[in-house]
Amino acid sequence: MTGTTEFSLIQKYFSYDFKRDDVALGIGDDCALLNPPSGKQLVMTVDTLVAGVHFPVATSAEDIGYKSLAVNLSDLAAMGAEPAWATLAITLPENDPEWLEKFSKSFQQTLHAHDVQLIGGDTTQGPLTITVQLTGFVDQGRAMRRDAAKPGDKIYLTGNLGDAALALKLLDVPDLPAPETRTVIIKKLNRPMPRVEFAQRVAEHCACAIDLSDGLIADLGHILKASHCGARVYFDRLPVSPEFRECMVHLDGFDFNRMILSGGDDYELCMVTSEKNESALFSLAESMDLLLTCIGEIDSSEALTVISSNGESMELTATGYQHFSHV
Ligand code: ADP
Ligand code: MG
């Protein structure tokens, strides 16, 4: 988009009031000017959501506004960083005031819930695509990284697994399961809760973390690869929501195990740390009313083994578990 259309669109929908003290110049010039805090490292991430690829085309403008920020907030959380500044590159098929109004409101609410200022962006015409770039801070050398796991460490997880993957499947079966259960599960897909505050605080006790965007097996696999070690994960310990469990009991034809092990889009935090930090982790989680589960431990095997209830290692070679091959 060029000229007045683009200018007025930015003015109308993306010039929010909220101003951070560390932003010397926000939207309106060629670039933003920022004053990074001394003693901190800048932490940056970017994620693109393409309609029909990263979210179903029928997703509401509000949910897209929320999720485009949430996935980036989750990446910063995985490093233990405090989010601060965002840019938004948006490609729109048309100038649709109703859609833009809803997207903009939801995006604004999500920004402000985390004290993040929108400092710039780009607006173009084409198939609906949203790219958010997010910058935050972390104390020098204190970021949680994928390469810091050590044999003997324990593996912890916030929240539950598999709901978002189940939600995607449920979109194809409009009348299943009961409406209340369905609403809860679909909300997990459209409104994932990035563990931003918990992550900043847990970073005091933990040097290694990743957020779960591609599924437990794939994402834990990234930690194992970067840290040159293996892990044992106990399938029975993997946390699922009461709603997920209800679906397991009542719905046929779904591969629930695959959703738990390899379903994407959960945006929970997976942490690896020494067992001596366990009580600190659990009290922190409890103080924030957050479910935390120890799901296994790191070993020196260089392989990821999932152990079933009968103590045997689970077959992870079936299609759907192909992420396993990355380990
Ligand atoms: P330029 O042509 O110099 O790159 P633009 O005309 O694209 O500048 O943008 C003008 C100003 O508006 C810049 O400050 C830019 O960061 C901001 N901007 C453009 N699109 C968006 C958007 N979708 N959200 C937030 N800021 C935007
Ligand atoms: Mg310019």
Side-chain angles (χ1 to χ4, degrees), residues 16 69 103-114 191:
Y16 303 133
L69 256 174
F103 175 90
S104 165
K105 275 239 159 62
S106 171
F107 196 79
Q108 181 181 26
Q109 281 167 0
T110 316
L111 283 169
H112 293 183
H114 295 276
R191 299 276 169 156

Side-chain angles (χ1 to χ4, degrees), residues 6 10 14 26-31 88-90 118-123:
E6 182 190 347
I10 298 162
F14 298 114
I27 292 173
D29 212 314
D30 292 307
C31 297
L88 165 68
I90 188 163
L118 183 64
I119 54 160
D122 196 19
T123 307

Side-chain angles (χ1 to χ4, degrees), residues 85-282:
W85 309 315
T87 59
L88 165 68
I90 188 163
T91 304
L92 299 162
E94 59 189 326
N95 183 354
D96 175 350
E98 203 182 318
W99 190 95
L100 274 162
E101 188 67 42
K102 291 177 178 161
F103 175 90
S104 165
K105 275 239 159 62
S106 171
F107 196 79
Q108 181 181 26
Q109 281 167 0
T110 316
L111 283 169
H112 293 183
H114 295 276
D115 285 336
V116 176
Q117 183 174 338
L118 183 64
I119 54 160
D122 196 19
T123 307
T124 50
Q125 191 157 21
L128 181 62
T129 306
I130 292 110
T131 299
V132 173
Q133 186 268 338
L134 198 57
T135 303
F137 317 129
V138 71
D139 287 340
Q140 285 283 346
R142 296 306 298 269
M144 296 190 286
R145 300 165 51 131
R146 298 177 179 191
D147 60 3
K150 291 189 292 296
D153 284 351
K154 300 284 180 186
I155 306 163
Y156 302 89
L157 209 64
T158 61
N160 292 304
L161 295 172
D163 284 329
L166 175 57
L168 258 188
K169 297 284 179 199
L170 290 180
L171 293 179
D172 298 331
V173 280
D175 42 1
L176 285 174
E180 316 79 62
T181 308
R182 184 180 171 83
T183 306
V184 172
I185 292 175
I186 290 184
K187 194 169 171 198
K188 296 292 260 306
L189 175 66
N190 291 329
R191 299 276 169 156
M193 294 285 290
R195 304 304 183 184
V196 182
E197 266 139 54
F198 176 77
Q200 286 169 63
R201 293 169 65 182
V202 90
E204 269 178 51
H205 314 286
C206 179
C208 178
I210 193 167
D211 69 316
L212 299 187
S213 52
D214 297 331
L216 176 68
I217 297 296
D219 290 320
L220 180 56
H222 295 319
I223 285 185
L224 301 183
K225 195 167 185 184
S227 299
H228 307 290
C229 45
R232 286 186 303 274
V233 163
Y234 301 93
F235 188 77
D236 283 356
R237 292 198 206 165
L238 298 179
V240 297
S241 67
E243 292 78 16
F244 189 96
R245 207 165 282 288
E246 189 185 321
C247 291
M248 284 176 92
V249 173
H250 292 111
L251 302 184
D252 294 326
F254 293 91
D255 189 346
F256 291 105
N257 286 5
R258 193 200 66 78
M259 292 173 191
I260 295 168
L261 288 169
S262 297
D265 263 7
D266 281 324
Y267 299 101
E268 294 297 348
L269 192 66
C270 177
M271 293 141 285
V272 173
T273 189
S274 159
E275 195 174 12
K276 72 174 166 34
N277 298 319
E278 181 166 299
S279 59
L281 257 62
F282 276 104

